[in-house]
């Protein structure tokens, strides 16, 4: 097992473990948010392993740095005394959900392997210089994908307006 | 019957049809635009003018055709047909299986005779209609509409008689049926009239069914023999090769085989039976008298109802190969003649008497066709057109003069007031009864002579005596009509007696022309026997003219003794009929009451037409109505379609939504999420596999 | 030696399913929103993984379809969180609860 593979499995284990912790057994809502941060940072590490350095950076900046902080702001705003998690997940539902989820996962993997989507293209070992770094991706974003960038900006604007309207105390 | 492969193209023919057709369409359009404000005199002039123009064109073509007869034939068979091909109407297939039907008109001797009768008599009736419809007292006179229909009828009838192929003929055939329907129900404000129009149309559908089956049967048998064709020229040329084929009859008809020619002939004859109101489809014609009297004269006496006879004669080459069909035709004609004449004796409505008389005379024509005497059938058709149109229009004059009184029991004594009408009616009555020298005498005598000599026809002696009996009955009911209407004391209501007079001149001068024709019309087909007596070398000009189209048959071996016997028989029967009518309605009217206990029941049965209408009503109409109402309307439409399918599906959707689907709308966001996930997974599974 | 794509996809699927289970079973709106974030991250992981597989064109030039897609997802996720937390505040204000089942007025 190469070092790369070791890192991947380590990050993967961290991600899965903290994700399960987030939905399953943490007692406090802040702990859940922290688990989410762990998952996201782990994923950022995997992105680096896959030569997506800019994505990894943005993952940490936006998710860990912005989104989860936003969650925490709201949690603090609400001043939750009982941990905020309310009634624990219903046991029956959890069993059902795990059954459905496991079936779906295994089914997806089996279908995917059988249909051979993963083996169509052999991995290219010698990537172009600077692959996945900010310069190359930035050029791609502002040339080929300029329209998508503009549109996503519009989506963000709309969501900001929507969030402001929703968060206002009174609609007047 | 000479085959005539050659013909002469003549572009004039189309205008015979197009002039009245165009006028009908033009006046129809004008009527649609201007409605009631459309000048009636404009329509009248257009209408009468177009028919007269059509008559003129027919005469021109006639002269041209006769000119061909005079030419010295270069070879054996000179062309004696004018053809006007406009364009290929239907063209399908290639090579051997190619088949085309042209929009083409054919003007041969037979078409010429029909054409001249239709346009000539048609023109006179148009002129007569001007006066008749003007005298109409109903609110919705609809003069413009009337002439529009009438012109359309003339055009359709001309298509029928001028058609060069069966398809075009069928177009005209249906066209005249449509116009007949429109004109019978012309005063549609009265429900009875609309009903009579529908009845005529529906009864004719039965006949048209036979016509269509006949066309298809003929076409397919010809196509099987490799000669698909519908034009009369091609059929006549190619029919010989299939005439001897036979068809296997289905089991429910008793199995066995029937000659192809016979079965085709019978199918066409079914069409003729419907159109010409023969037994058993005659019931529509008496009811058709609901239409205006000029319509009765034109459509239901002189022209349209004779289309069946025309078709049978047109297809005579086919019937020549089908002796079985000819027997059926002869017997149908003979039985219808005597049956309808019997019914006519008990009618009190002046127009109904004439309607049954028409059926009876058409029976005579079919009797002639059945004997193979096609030219004589056409001869009677022509003379009948003259005298029956005259009688109808005379009756119309009486009806106008008495302000729409049609019941003869309330007439009487009109002779002194309507002098001119009386004398033209006398001419018509004498003509139809076969007074020696009058037109009906020759044509009827010829028919009975043909029957008398038709040894190959089973039961021709019985048919002959039926013909003689019909002649006697004809004399009786026609003189009964004359006596009841014009003789004796007036039985008109007091208020109407004052201002009685002959109608206006536009009605009277067509009557006088027709009266002359009815008296003298026999000249065109004067039998050779009588021609010899008055020193005419070749007298039967109509017969010789038609010989280019139909087989004329061997001249009968006539000597003075046989002729005396034949003419004597008919005259004796007619005089008996006349005498009976004179005794019962002029000299001893009291006798009728005395005979009532003896003859009352049979008279009532005859007056009710042997309950044929009631029989049809009970057997066909009522079960159909009940079936339609109970099963189709209430059961299928209201029950199944409305109840089960329309309302049922609505109820099912509502029930499903109210009891099942509403649970999907739980208000729980996570339930929606689960459903969305299931849908996504299903979609993915479908896309991936 | 690079990471096999099958492993990346399997991890992605596993994380996604964990997110689904969380979103379906928990009643707490915050946890549900977090679970949705987790699902989006799982999708991003798959996108980046596929970009690794189809990383160069036939001519040898770099391709960034997957990574750009992932960037867009991140942007949409940020927007979604902003709106989602707005809804959450609104729910607290009107129902005084974080339980999604309390917001079930719109039903049959």
């Amino acid at each position: 097992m190469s070092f790369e593979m070791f890192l991947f499995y380590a990050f993967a284990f961290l991600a899965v473990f903290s994700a399960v912790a987030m939905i399953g057994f943490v007692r406090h809502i802040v702990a859940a948010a922290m688990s989410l941060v762990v998952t996201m940072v782990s994923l950022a590490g995997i992105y680096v392993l896959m030569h997506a350095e800019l994505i990894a950076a943005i993952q940490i900046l936006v998710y860990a740095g912005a989104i989860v902080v936003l969650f925490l702001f709201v949690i603090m705003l609400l001043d939750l005394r009982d941990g905020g998690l309310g009634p624990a997940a219903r046991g029956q539902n959890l069993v059902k959900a795990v059954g459905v989820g496991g079936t779906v996962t295994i089914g997806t993997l089996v279908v995917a392997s059988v249909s051979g989507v993963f083996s169509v293209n052999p991995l290219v070992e010698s990537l172009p210089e600077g692959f996945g770094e900010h310069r190359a991706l930035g050029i791609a974003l502002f040339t080929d994908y300029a329209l998508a960038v503009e549109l996503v900006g519009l989506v963000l604007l709309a969501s900001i307006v929507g969030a402001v309207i929703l968060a206002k105390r009174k609609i007047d | 019957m000479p085959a005539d492969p050659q013909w002469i193209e003549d572009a004039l023919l189309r205008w015979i049809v197009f002039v009245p057709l165009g006028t009908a369409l033009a006046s129809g359009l004008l009527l649609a635009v201007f409605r009631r404000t459309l000048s009636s005199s404009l329509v009248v002039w257009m209408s009468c003018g177009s028919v007269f123009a059509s008559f003129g064109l027919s005469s021109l073509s006639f002269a041209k055709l006769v000119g061909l007869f005079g030419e010295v034939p270069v070879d054996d068979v000179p062309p004696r047909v004018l053809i006007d091909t406009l364009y290929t109407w239907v063209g399908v297939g290639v090579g051997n299986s190619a088949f085309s039907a042209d929009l083409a008109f054919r003007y041969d001797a037979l078409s010429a005779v029909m054409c001249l009768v239709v346009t000539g008599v048609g023109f006179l009736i148009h002129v007569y209609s001007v006066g008749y419809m003007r005298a109409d007292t109903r609110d919705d006179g609809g003069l413009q509409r009337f002439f529009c229909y009438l012109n359309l009828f003339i055009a359709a009838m001309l298509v029928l008689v001028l058609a060069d192929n069966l398809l075009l003929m069928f177009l005209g055939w249906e066209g005249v049926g449509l116009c007949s329907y429109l004109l019978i129900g012309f005063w549609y404000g009265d429900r009875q009239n609309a009903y009579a129009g529908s009845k005529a149309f529906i009864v004719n559908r039965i006949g048209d069914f036979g016509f269509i089956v006949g066309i298809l049967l003929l076409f397919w048998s010809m196509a099987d023999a490799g000669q698909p064709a519908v034009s009369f020229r091609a059929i006549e040329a190619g029919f010989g090769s299939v005439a001897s084929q036979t068809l296997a009859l289905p089991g429910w008809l008793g199995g066995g085989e029937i000659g192809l020619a016979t079965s085709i002939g019978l199918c066409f004859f079914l069409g003729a039976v419907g159109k010409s109101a023969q037994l058993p489809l005659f019931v529509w014609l008496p009811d058709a008298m609901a239409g205006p009297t000029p319509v009765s004269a034109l459509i239901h006496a002189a022209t349209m109802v004779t289309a069946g006879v025309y078709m049978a004669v047109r297809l005579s080459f086919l019937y020549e190969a089908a002796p079985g069909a000819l027997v059926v035709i002869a017997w149908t004609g003979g039985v219808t003649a005597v049956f309808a004449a019997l019914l006519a004796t008990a009618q009190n409505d002046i127009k109904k008497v004439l309607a049954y008389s028409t059926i009876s005379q058409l029976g005579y024509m079919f009797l002639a066709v059945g004997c193979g005497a096609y030219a004589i059938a056409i001869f009677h058709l022509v003379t009948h057109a003259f005298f029956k149109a005259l009688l109808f229009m005379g009756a119309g004059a009486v009806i106008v003069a008495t302000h729409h009184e049609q019941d003869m029991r309330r007439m009487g004594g009109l002779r002194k007031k309507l002098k001119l009408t009386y004398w033209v009616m006398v001419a018509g009555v004498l003509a139809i009864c076969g007074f020696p020298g009058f037109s009906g005498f020759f044509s009827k005598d010829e028919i009975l002579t043909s029957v008398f000599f038709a040894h190959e026809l089973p039961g021709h002696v019985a048919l002959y005596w039926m013909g003689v009996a019909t002649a006697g009955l004809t004399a009786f009911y026609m003189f009964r009509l004359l006596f009841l209407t014009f003789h004796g004391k007036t039985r008109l209501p007091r208020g109407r007696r004052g201002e009685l007079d002959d109608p206006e001149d536009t009605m009277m001068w067509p009557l006088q022309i027709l009266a002359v024709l009815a008296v003298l019309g026999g000249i065109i087909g004067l039998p050779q026997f009588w021609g010899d007596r008055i020193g005419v070398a070749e007298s039967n000009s109509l017969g010789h003219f038609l010989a280019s189209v139909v087989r004329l048959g061997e001249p009968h071996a006539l000597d003075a003794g046989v002729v005396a016997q034949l003419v004597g028989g008919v005259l004796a029967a007619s005089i008996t009929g006349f005498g009976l009518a004179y005794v019962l309605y002029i000299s001893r009217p009291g006798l009728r009451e005395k005979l009532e206990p003896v003859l009352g029941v049979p008279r009532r049965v005859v007056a009710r037409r042997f309950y044929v209408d009631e029989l049809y009503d009970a057997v066909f109409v009522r079960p159909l109505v009940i079936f339609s109402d109970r099963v189709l309307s209430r059961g299928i439409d209201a029950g199944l379609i409305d109840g089960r399918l329309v309302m049922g599906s609505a109820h099912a959707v509502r029930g499903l939504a109210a009891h099942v689907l509403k649970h999907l709308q739980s208000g729980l966001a996570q339930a929606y999420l689960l459903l969305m996930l299931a849908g996504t997974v299903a979609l993915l599974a479908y896309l991936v596999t | 030696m690079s990471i096999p794509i099958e492993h990346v996809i399997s991890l992605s699927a596993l994380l996604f399913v964990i997110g689904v289970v969380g979103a379906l079973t928990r009643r707490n709106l915050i946890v549900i929103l977090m679970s949705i974030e987790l699902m989006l991250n799982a999708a991003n992981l798959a996108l980046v993984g596929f970009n690794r597989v189809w990383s160069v064109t036939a001519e040898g030039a770099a391709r960034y379809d997957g990574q750009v897609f992932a960037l867009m997802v991140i942007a949409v996720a940020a927007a979604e969180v902003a709106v989602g937390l707005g809804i959450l505040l609104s729910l607290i204000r009107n129902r005084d609860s974080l339980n999604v089942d309390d917001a079930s007025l719109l039903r049959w």
Side-chain angles (χ1 to χ4, degrees):
Chain A
M1 185 189 283
S2 68
F3 181 63
E4 255 188 322
M5 292 298 278
F6 170 75
L7 280 180
F8 173 75
Y9 289 123
F11 283 136
F13 174 76
L14 261 179
V16 171
F17 178 81
S18 54
V20 171
M22 177 191 84
I23 67 156
F25 48 77
V26 295
R27 288 295 167 86
H28 200 280
I29 189 81
V30 176
M34 287 302 120
S35 305
L36 188 59
V37 172
V38 174
T39 306
M40 294 191 174
V41 172
S42 310
L43 287 182
I46 292 176
Y47 291 162
V48 172
L49 292 178
M50 287 192 296
H51 300 280
E53 287 84 358
L54 182 68
I55 304 287
I58 291 176
Q59 169 89 358
I60 291 171
L61 282 174
V62 174
Y63 271 115
I67 291 179
V68 177
V69 169
L70 198 57
F71 271 108
L72 289 172
F73 273 145
V74 170
I75 289 165
M76 284 181 255
L77 190 68
L78 295 177
D79 186 21
L80 302 162
R81 269 178 296 271
D82 57 347
L85 287 176
R90 292 172 199 169
Q92 262 189 334
N93 276 351
L94 192 62
V95 171
K96 274 186 213 163
V98 169
V100 171
T103 314
V104 170
T105 316
I106 295 163
T108 309
L109 290 175
V110 168
V111 168
S113 306
V114 167
S115 61
V117 275
F118 304 136
S119 49
V120 275
N121 212 358
L123 280 185
V124 180
E125 296 296 341
S126 57
L127 287 170
E129 182 139 351
F131 182 84
E133 289 170 9
H134 57 279
R135 183 180 171 78
L137 203 55
I139 289 170
L141 273 177
F142 290 105
T143 53
D144 295 347
Y145 304 98
L147 182 64
V149 172
E150 300 286 344
L151 287 178
V152 99
L154 204 64
V155 169
L156 281 170
L157 178 68
S159 76
I160 289 163
V161 173
V164 168
I165 295 278
L166 281 167
K168 277 178 85 169
R169 266 185 200 285
K170 255 193 229 162
I171 297 171
D172 44 22
Chain B
M1 180 175 53
D4 46 354
Q6 300 137 297
W7 60 87
I8 291 174
E9 288 285 342
D10 181 2
L12 195 63
L13 296 180
R14 64 187 72 168
W15 298 108
I16 299 177
V17 174
F18 284 174
V19 169
L21 182 65
T23 312
L25 295 179
S27 51
L29 279 174
L30 286 174
L31 192 56
V33 173
F34 294 105
R35 307 271 166 169
R36 289 288 169 77
T37 58
L38 180 61
S39 154
S40 62
S41 59
L42 173 70
V43 175
V44 163
W45 277 106
M46 272 168 63
S47 183
C48 296
S50 72
V51 177
F52 188 73
S54 190
F55 177 66
L57 291 167
S58 303
S59 307
L60 266 179
S61 300
F62 178 71
K64 209 179 281 183
L65 190 66
V66 170
L68 295 178
F69 278 67
E71 282 169 12
V72 181
V74 181
D75 45 14
D76 288 339
V77 195
R80 284 174 176 174
V81 180
L82 301 177
I83 296 280
D84 181 11
T85 306
L86 271 79
Y87 59 90
T88 301
W89 182 22
V90 180
V92 287
V94 285
N96 279 337
S97 61
F99 150 72
S100 74
D102 292 338
L103 190 65
F105 298 114
R106 171 193 179 95
Y107 201 84
D108 61 8
L110 180 57
S111 303
V113 172
M114 291 301 292
C115 206
L116 288 172
V117 170
V118 169
T119 52
V121 176
F123 172 64
L124 293 176
I125 295 177
H126 263 72
V127 173
Y128 173 87
S129 305
V130 178
Y132 187 90
M133 296 308 286
R134 223 177 254 157
D136 182 57
T137 52
R138 289 173 177 78
D139 291 337
D140 177 25
L143 192 72
Q144 299 92 334
R145 185 163 59 95
F146 179 82
F147 277 99
C148 182
Y149 290 164
L150 216 53
N151 258 30
L152 191 62
F153 168 78
I154 294 280
M157 190 69 200
L158 287 170
V159 169
L160 200 165
V161 299
L162 288 175
D164 183 44
N165 58 55
L166 280 168
L167 291 182
L168 194 58
M169 186 176 176
F170 188 67
L171 187 76
W173 185 271
E174 291 300 318
V176 293
L178 170 72
C179 294
S180 162
Y181 161 78
L182 290 172
L183 285 164
I184 293 171
F186 180 73
W187 288 313
Y188 54 80
D190 186 345
R191 205 174 168 75
Q192 280 301 316
N193 296 346
Y195 176 76
S198 303
K199 183 174 179 180
F201 205 64
I202 292 166
V203 172
N204 265 302
R205 294 272 76 68
I206 302 171
D208 295 345
F209 166 75
F211 197 142
I212 295 174
V213 172
I215 292 177
L216 294 178
L217 205 53
L218 180 60
F219 177 74
W220 283 114
S221 52
M222 300 275 292
D224 272 352
Q227 303 158 309
V230 287
S231 87
F232 293 121
R233 282 166 282 167
I235 293 173
E236 192 169 351
F239 188 70
S241 58
V242 294
S244 54
Q245 289 177 7
T246 55
L247 290 175
L249 279 176
W252 51 270
L253 278 175
E257 288 193 326
I258 183 170
L260 181 67
T262 307
S263 50
I264 295 174
L266 287 177
C267 284
F268 280 118
F269 181 57
L270 179 59
V273 164
K275 194 60 86 186
S276 296
Q278 296 294 289
L279 276 177
L281 300 180
F282 70 97
V283 288
W284 66 270
L285 188 56
D287 287 358
M289 295 303 126
T293 306
V295 171
S296 308
L298 177 62
I299 299 183
H300 304 118
T303 54
M304 186 191 81
V305 289
T306 62
V309 180
Y310 164 76
M311 179 183 70
V313 176
R314 171 59 76 200
L315 297 174
S316 63
F317 61 88
L318 192 149
Y319 284 109
E320 284 295 294
L326 284 182
V327 173
V328 174
I329 293 176
W331 274 94
T332 307
V335 173
T336 307
V338 69
F339 180 76
L342 197 59
L343 294 187
T345 59
Q347 297 298 318
N348 290 318
D349 184 320
I350 187 167
K351 284 178 72 180
K352 292 238 164 131
V353 174
L354 294 174
Y356 283 108
S357 165
T358 304
I359 299 173
S360 171
Q361 298 297 314
L362 289 165
Y364 265 136
M365 294 175 210
F366 279 111
L367 187 55
V369 171
C371 299
Y374 307 109
I376 292 162
I378 293 297
F379 180 31
H380 195 59
L381 189 158
V382 174
T383 58
H384 174 256
F386 292 155
F387 59 66
K388 189 52 68 66
L390 171 64
L391 288 167
F392 261 116
M393 286 154 67
V398 173
I399 291 169
V400 166
T402 57
H403 301 288
H404 290 273
E405 180 57 63
Q406 298 198 8
D407 194 332
M408 294 188 294
R409 287 171 299 189
R410 288 201 288 275
M411 292 178 182
L414 296 175
R415 177 178 40 147
K416 299 191 185 79
K417 307 273 187 169
L418 313 177
K419 292 194 187 67
L420 195 52
T421 310
Y422 175 67
W423 283 110
V424 297
M425 282 293 271
V426 167
V429 168
L430 289 177
I432 192 175
C433 294
F435 187 79
F438 282 45
S439 62
F441 170 75
F442 296 113
S443 55
K444 193 184 295 187
D445 191 51
E446 279 284 270
I447 291 173
L448 291 174
T449 306
S450 310
V451 180
F452 189 75
F453 284 102
H455 297 293
E456 73 285 351
L457 199 66
H460 74 281
V461 178
L463 281 173
Y464 172 74
W465 287 113
M466 280 160 73
V468 172
T470 306
L473 286 168
T474 306
F476 174 74
Y477 68 69
M478 285 315 303
F479 278 105
R480 173 174 173 268
L481 181 150
L482 195 68
F483 293 156
L484 275 176
T485 310
F486 291 100
H487 292 255
K489 285 184 181 167
T490 183
R491 296 180 295 279
L492 272 173
R494 289 197 178 279
R496 294 198 194 167
R497 289 184 192 173
E499 74 280 19
L500 286 182
D501 197 4
D502 279 324
E504 54 179 301
D505 284 348
T506 46
M507 288 174 71
M508 289 319 285
W509 70 257
L511 275 177
Q512 293 166 52
I513 294 174
L514 275 177
V516 172
L517 287 171
V519 173
L520 301 178
I523 291 170
I524 60 167
L526 190 69
Q528 192 61 51
F529 177 83
W530 299 102
D532 290 343
R533 294 295 172 284
I534 59 170
V536 179
E538 203 172 68
S539 62
N540 189 359
S541 49
L542 181 70
H544 291 299
F545 187 48
L546 288 173
S548 63
V549 181
V550 298
R551 184 184 62 87
L552 215 47
E554 296 298 309
H556 305 301
L558 291 174
D559 59 29
V562 176
V563 171
Q565 186 189 339
L566 286 168
V567 173
V570 181
L571 278 183
S574 300
I575 289 168
T576 310
F578 164 74
L580 209 57
Y582 186 78
V583 169
L584 285 177
Y585 294 95
I586 295 282
S587 66
R588 300 187 57 192
L591 203 58
R592 274 185 285 162
E593 275 94 63
K594 285 180 197 161
L595 286 173
E596 183 66 19
V598 188
L599 290 174
V601 174
R603 196 188 62 77
R604 272 199 295 279
V605 171
V606 171
R608 297 299 300 273
R609 327 165 177 189
F610 286 96
Y611 299 101
V612 172
D613 267 335
E614 285 79 357
L615 180 74
Y616 287 175
D617 196 47
V619 176
F620 299 112
V621 180
R622 226 165 264 281
L624 186 69
V625 168
I626 290 172
F627 178 74
S628 304
D629 180 44
R630 301 275 159 76
V631 179
L632 293 180
S633 171
R634 286 190 221 163
I636 305 238
D637 188 46
L640 183 67
I641 294 178
D642 282 356
R644 293 282 172 279
L645 298 182
V646 176
M647 294 311 288
S649 59
H651 284 143
V653 168
R654 198 178 65 187
L656 187 71
H659 297 113
V660 182
L661 292 177
K662 73 168 182 182
H663 294 293
L664 291 176
Q665 192 74 20
S666 60
L668 300 173
Q670 287 173 315
Y672 303 151
L673 186 60
L674 185 62
L675 285 173
M676 198 174 96
L677 183 77
T680 312
V681 169
L683 187 65
L684 270 177
Y686 171 77
L687 287 177
V688 171
T689 55
Chain C
M1 170 182 174
S2 300
I3 306 138
I5 187 70
E6 288 85 349
H7 296 206
V8 180
I9 301 302
S10 300
L11 176 63
S12 160
L14 205 53
L15 287 175
F16 187 85
V17 167
I18 292 166
V20 166
V21 170
L24 284 180
T25 58
R26 305 306 301 253
R27 294 289 183 267
N28 189 305
L29 189 52
I30 299 177
V31 179
I32 290 174
L33 281 176
M34 288 179 183
S35 301
I36 291 171
E37 291 305 313
L38 189 60
M39 286 192 268
L40 288 169
N41 267 296
N44 268 352
L45 180 61
L47 288 169
V48 171
F50 284 127
N51 193 98
R52 179 70 188 87
V53 179
W54 285 275
S55 51
V56 287
T57 59
E59 292 82 37
R63 304 176 56 170
Y64 295 108
D65 301 286
Q67 295 193 10
V68 169
F69 214 144
L71 278 174
M72 300 302 151
V73 171
I74 290 170
V76 170
E80 178 247 317
V81 164
V83 176
L85 290 176
I87 292 171
L88 187 143
L89 288 176
S90 185
L91 181 69
I92 293 284
R93 200 174 297 144
N94 291 308
R95 287 274 180 278
D96 195 22
S97 160
L98 277 175
N99 191 335
V100 280
D101 287 357
D102 288 341
S104 62
L105 205 61
L106 193 63
R107 63 193 295 253
W108 50 273

